[in-house]
Amino acid sequence: MNLSLSLLSDQFLLNFSYLWLIVIATTIGIIIGAMPGFGSANTIIMLLPFTLAVDVEVAMIFMVSLFVASHMGGGITSILLNIPGNGGSAATCLDGYPMARKGLGQQALVLSFVASTVGGMVTALMSIFLLPYIARLAFYMHSVEMVVILLFGITLIASVASDNMLKGLIAGFLGLLIGAIGADHIYSTPRGTFGFIELYDGVPLIAVLIGVFAISEALIMMESSSVLSDTGKQMMRQSGWKETWEGVVWSFQRTWHMIWTGIIGLIIGIVPGAGASIAAFVAYQQSRLYSKTPEKYGTGIPEGVIAPESANNGCASGDLIPLLVIGVPGGTTAAVMLIVMTYHGVQLGPRLFIQNPGIGYGVFITMLIAYAVMLFTTLPLTRWVSKLVLIPTPVLAPIIIAFTLVGAFAPRGYMFDLWLTLLFGAIGYVCRRTGFNVVALLIGVILGPMLEANVMRALRISGNDPWVFFSSPVGNILWAALAVSLAIPSIVQWRRNRAAARTATA
Amino acid sequence: MTIMLDRRHVLMAGAGALAASLARPARAAGDFPDKPIQVLIPTGEGGGVDQAARAFNRIWSKYLGANFEYSYFPGASGQVGYEVFISKRPADAYNILFGNIGPEMIMYATQKVKYKYQEDFTYIGSMDIDDSVIWVGSSSKFKTIQELVEEGKKREITLSTSRLPHPSTIGALALAEATGMKVRMIPYGGGGPARSAAITGEVDGCATFLSSSLGLGDQARFLTVFNDTNRAPELTNNAPPVNQALGTKIPQMSGQRAIAIHTKAVEAYPDRVKKLTDSFKQVFADPEYKTVAEKAGTPWEFIQYGDAASCQESAKEFVELADRFRSLLTATK
């Protein structure tokens, strides 16, 4: 894997000559990213004849641009409408939407775009220069390590539930329960499917995502005439270029934050099978943990938008690493890319960097350029896109319901999924009205099945020896980090109380 | 290039595309096929079967005189796809299922399904034979299958597999039964994670189909092939056939990608079925098929035509094998 500058500059030039294609692909990517139910994998399959008809470099540029843009687009509706475009942007709702409601929608969008760009670019650059080394990370991340990483994400249930711990935990538990529906991971015995063949592979995430977020949010919207508060409306009407600039300044005041949460995304992305939703939730949890003001998370603060957005774009770089280096795709989109590449006769895996290093490194060059292009195309748009929230809710809500229901049907083409989505819409509405946290529920649904699969796998490999979870050095380091992350908030609280007591007695 | 869209994609592409497909000029009635053939794939889009089916159908459409539209119903090792096909698709020979006889008949035999083989569906032709193999990662200490078996007599060997109901799982279990080695199969729910686990050393090795592992290059060291001959020796570091290496009598463990149609359609429309099977067979003589099949990742050595009778025989063999290893493949003790 010798890296030569001439190779990199060749790739830069190649990508520049296809700039028009990158613009088209990123535009499509952002749009599908923002639409719940339409993923980049689906879109590439839809455009399969195109990708097979063109040169392999062109196909790769197109697919990579579309893929990274879909990660960036997911945040738009999370922020403006509280509706995540995909699992990776669900965590962005936590602070993005409160910002939008306060009339800071434009700044929040800028934060999300800049964080996505910085997270994506930094990790793409790291990938170029450290590829052989970071690829080794996958060799240390097995089921046991995944269990601990997933637990990091799951502890977020407790954080988002901090307003009302009991209700939050119940919601999280309900999520885990819903996530456990479907065939078990070893023997494929169906559980809780009520005989519905449509549930054999588990509850489809899109139905839950659209139901508990989009449908229930639309129902809530209909109860008031506007998404915004009165002051928010005032601010939004007046917002102009100044607010765009403000968002840029806020982002770069938190440059280090963008970088390290991006790196979390990269590392999680490298683990085969772990995706952007885990990356975003874990990054949000870590960001909150090391914050001086963890209690402000969830109220609409810039850090809460930056962490998940930077991480899910860092994850995009990470996802491609196992595909390129060992020839095993890290996620669905990567799997589809693998097919297109094989069809073109390109061997992914270690031989790629010997036979066709241009493609191997070109992927990351394309990412760098795609992000730069997106920043220039999206930043000016924030000013107008953010005005979406000014649309009166009696108009907005039915549009949301109609659009997202199409999105619920599209991935699998089952009518069943529509009913399921409506059912989850009702569950989400009841949860919101009664103060049960829907994000806690979603975390359970997303992370639960993965946790279960990894626990069962680790146990089966070890011959049902529970000590397997403490048998690996990397795993043990992660356990220690998890313990620290759980203890820190209590210690901080204890010290604050003590300090407060001292000042009181002084 | 034919642009192929399935129903969902038509939906995504918008009403315009839908209108266009409805406005297709009708040909003389009775001239089969006078509309596109609906292909149901019981695994995910872009998977091995999808790739092979698309490559095959590109050539098949020339001889059949019809285009193909795809839909995907993955889940429960193919069970979802078969149930949808049998219960929701009309038995008119315009609806075909592209599946994989080995894994799907083992699934049929080990899971509770709502359909019956041969009463509800019939395989009418197969297009390739993909042998099961056992391979280890390049950093593994095992160089030969004998070494793995010897170690397996001292401790339980872990082998990753995409799912338990799979010919390669049965192959490994039969190998263990024949040699006295101990083996524990670890299902990863997909070929990708299963391969990754063996490469990164989480498990001792991987039991899977040969073609899906060919792209791994030097990272995979093939130890044995579950067939009488190794049909791709240069691609598999000349791994020996299992019976030749160990003197066992393990039957051939292969996947056969094949098309199935409703048994009712076979009875009701013999002329349509004849058109399907005749044109299906013609594809194999077309030199262009070699090019597209190899592009789709199937070595030409694996391409082999099988008629309805040979498909039926193979399906029955797998049901018997699955019955023999039922307790190890399911949660029943």
Side-chain angles (χ1 to χ4, degrees), chain A residues 6-22:
Chain A
S6 70
L7 182 80
L8 290 186
S9 58
D10 275 353
Q11 284 301 317
F12 258 110
L13 289 175
L14 175 77
N15 275 280
F16 270 115
S17 65
Y18 283 105
L19 210 55
W20 59 274
L21 183 68
I22 297 183

Side-chain angles (χ1 to χ4, degrees), chain B residues 308-325:
Chain B
S310 77
C311 292
Q312 192 181 328
E313 196 182 322
S314 161
K316 288 208 163 130
E317 270 173 28
F318 277 110
V319 170
E320 284 163 23
L321 279 168
D323 279 337
R324 226 175 91 200
F325 292 97

Side-chain angles (χ1 to χ4, degrees), chain A residues 228-310:
Chain A
L228 297 164
S229 59
D230 288 340
T231 45
K233 224 184 271 176
Q234 197 74 22
M235 283 171 72
M236 210 62 229
R237 286 221 177 89
Q238 288 164 355
S239 72
W241 294 116
K242 190 174 132 277
E243 282 67 24
T244 307
W245 180 242
E246 206 165 62
V248 174
V249 172
W250 289 359
S251 311
F252 285 102
Q253 281 169 347
R254 295 162 177 87
T255 308
W256 175 236
H257 200 94
M258 293 193 274
I259 294 174
W260 73 262
T261 47
I263 294 173
I264 290 184
L266 174 72
I267 294 171
I268 292 177
I270 293 171
V271 182
S277 35
I278 302 173
F281 280 123
V282 171
Y284 186 89
Q285 184 257 9
Q286 288 297 294
S287 159
R288 187 179 181 278
L289 175 70
Y290 291 106
S291 164
K292 290 196 180 83
T293 52
E295 70 284 352
K296 285 195 183 156
Y297 276 71
T299 61
I301 57 164
E303 287 82 357
V305 176
I306 286 177
E309 284 298 305
S310 181

Side-chain angles (χ1 to χ4, degrees), chain A residues 85 107 121 136 167 222 256 270 290 311 323 375 443 445 492 502:
Chain A
Q107 288 91 328
M121 281 181 139
R136 295 295 305 175
K167 282 185 174 178
M222 286 198 264
W256 175 236
I270 293 171
Y290 291 106
L323 176 70
L375 200 58
I443 296 171
V445 176
V492 169
R502 253 194 223 138

Side-chain angles (χ1 to χ4, degrees), chain B residues 177-189:
Chain B
E177 194 185 63
T179 59
M181 77 183 281
K182 283 176 289 213
V183 67
R184 196 181 309 132
M185 305 305 295
I186 319 290
Y188 275 80

Side-chain angles (χ1 to χ4, degrees), chain A residues 38 41-43 45-46 48-50 52-53 138-144 183-189 195-198 200-201 272-273 325-329 335-336 338-339 342-345 347-351 406 409-414 457-464, chain B residues 1-5 7-9 11-13 45-47 50-51 54-55 58 72-77 79-80 83-84 88 111-112 114 158 164-165 184-189 192-193 195-196 199-203 214-219 292 295-297 328-331 333:
Chain A
F38 299 90
N42 272 345
T43 313
I45 278 282
M46 209 170 94
L48 202 62
F50 163 76
L52 298 180
F139 284 77
Y140 299 102
M141 297 290 174
H142 296 147
S143 310
V144 172
D184 87 77
H185 300 277
I186 302 290
Y187 294 111
S188 306
T189 316
F196 289 112
I197 190 86
E198 292 88 347
Y200 273 31
D201 249 12
V325 178
I326 59 176
V328 175
V336 177
L338 176 71
I339 287 152
T342 345
Y343 204 88
H344 277 288
Q347 287 254 323
L348 294 164
R351 271 191 276 175
V406 174
F409 178 76
R412 306 205 299 174
Y414 289 143
R457 204 174 288 147
L459 282 174
R460 192 166 163 96
I461 291 171
S462 71
N464 294 329
Chain B
M1 162 147 285
T2 327
I3 294 177
M4 290 163 282
L5 296 170
R7 286 181 312 115
R8 276 177 287 154
H9 296 149
L11 188 84
M12 285 193 244
E45 49 196 0
D50 186 17
Q51 265 175 289
R54 282 175 184 269
R58 269 174 76 181
Y72 304 88
F73 292 89
S77 309
Q79 187 182 346
V80 173
E83 286 201 3
V84 169
K88 305 232 163 92
Q111 289 174 14
K112 269 190 215 143
K114 290 185 187 139
T158 53
L164 287 185
R184 196 181 309 132
M185 305 305 295
I186 319 290
Y188 275 80
R195 293 196 287 278
S196 163
I199 293 170
T200 62
E202 179 166 30
V203 287
L214 287 176
L216 296 172
D218 309 336
Q219 296 168 105
V292 293
K295 260 191 158 182
L328 291 165
L329 296 171
T330 62
K333 286 279 173 277

Side-chain angles (χ1 to χ4, degrees), chain A residues 85-427:
Chain A
N86 45 51
S89 53
T92 312
C93 291
L94 286 166
D95 279 275
Y97 188 58
M99 280 186 81
R101 287 188 64 124
K102 285 191 242 170
L104 299 171
Q106 197 183 334
Q107 288 91 328
L109 281 180
V110 175
L111 280 166
S112 115
F113 292 152
V114 175
S116 298
T117 306
V118 172
M121 281 181 139
V122 167
T123 51
L125 269 176
M126 285 179 70
S127 305
I128 290 175
F129 292 103
L130 301 172
L131 199 58
Y133 310 102
I134 47 179
R136 295 295 305 175
L137 266 175
F139 284 77
Y140 299 102
M141 297 290 174
H142 296 147
S143 310
V144 172
E145 289 78 11
M146 270 308 289
V147 167
V148 196
I149 290 178
L150 285 161
L151 285 175
F152 270 100
I154 284 179
T155 58
L156 183 61
I157 291 178
S159 318
V160 297
S162 54
D163 284 350
N164 186 330
M165 193 57 94
L166 181 67
K167 282 185 174 178
L169 292 180
I170 291 174
F173 184 73
L174 180 66
L176 290 171
L177 211 60
I178 294 168
I181 289 174
D184 87 77
H185 300 277
I186 302 290
Y187 294 111
S188 306
T189 316
R191 304 166 306 184
T193 56
F194 306 101
F196 289 112
I197 190 86
E198 292 88 347
L199 291 176
Y200 273 31
D201 249 12
V203 172
L205 179 61
I206 292 296
V208 184
L209 203 64
I210 290 176
V212 299
F213 278 94
I215 305 290
S216 73
E217 188 61 42
L219 294 175
I220 300 265
M221 270 181 198
M222 286 198 264
E223 292 171 3
S224 56
S225 64
S226 172
V227 173
L228 297 164
S229 59
D230 288 340
T231 45
K233 224 184 271 176
Q234 197 74 22
M235 283 171 72
M236 210 62 229
R237 286 221 177 89
Q238 288 164 355
S239 72
W241 294 116
K242 190 174 132 277
E243 282 67 24
T244 307
W245 180 242
E246 206 165 62
V248 174
V249 172
W250 289 359
S251 311
F252 285 102
Q253 281 169 347
R254 295 162 177 87
T255 308
W256 175 236
H257 200 94
M258 293 193 274
I259 294 174
W260 73 262
T261 47
I263 294 173
I264 290 184
L266 174 72
I267 294 171
I268 292 177
I270 293 171
V271 182
S277 35
I278 302 173
F281 280 123
V282 171
Y284 186 89
Q285 184 257 9
Q286 288 297 294
S287 159
R288 187 179 181 278
L289 175 70
Y290 291 106
S291 164
K292 290 196 180 83
T293 52
E295 70 284 352
K296 285 195 183 156
Y297 276 71
T299 61
I301 57 164
E303 287 82 357
V305 176
I306 286 177
E309 284 298 305
S310 181
N312 76 40
N313 284 276
C315 185
S317 314
D319 259 349
L320 295 174
I321 289 174
L323 176 70
L324 296 170
V325 178
I326 59 176
V328 175
T332 352
T333 310
V336 177
M337 287 188 195
L338 176 71
I339 287 152
V340 178
M341 292 295 102
T342 345
Y343 204 88
H344 277 288
V346 176
Q347 287 254 323
L348 294 164
R351 271 191 276 175
L352 173 72
F353 289 89
I354 300 159
Q355 290 171 349
N356 222 333
I359 289 187
Y361 288 107
V363 166
F364 297 106
I365 304 280
T366 305
M367 288 181 94
L368 286 175
I369 295 177
Y371 276 114
V373 167
M374 281 191 283
L375 200 58
F376 283 109
T377 52
T378 52
L379 273 192
L381 279 182
T382 53
R383 190 175 160 187
W384 291 284
V385 174
S386 61
K387 299 279 196 279
L388 196 68
V389 287
L390 286 172
I391 299 174
T393 49
V395 178
L396 196 57
I399 295 177
I400 290 175
I401 294 181
F403 258 95
T404 54
L405 280 181
V406 174
F409 178 76
R412 306 205 299 174
Y414 289 143
M415 278 308 284
F416 179 86
D417 288 1
L418 285 186
W419 296 114
L420 198 65
T421 306
L422 291 174
L423 172 72
F424 278 111
I427 293 176

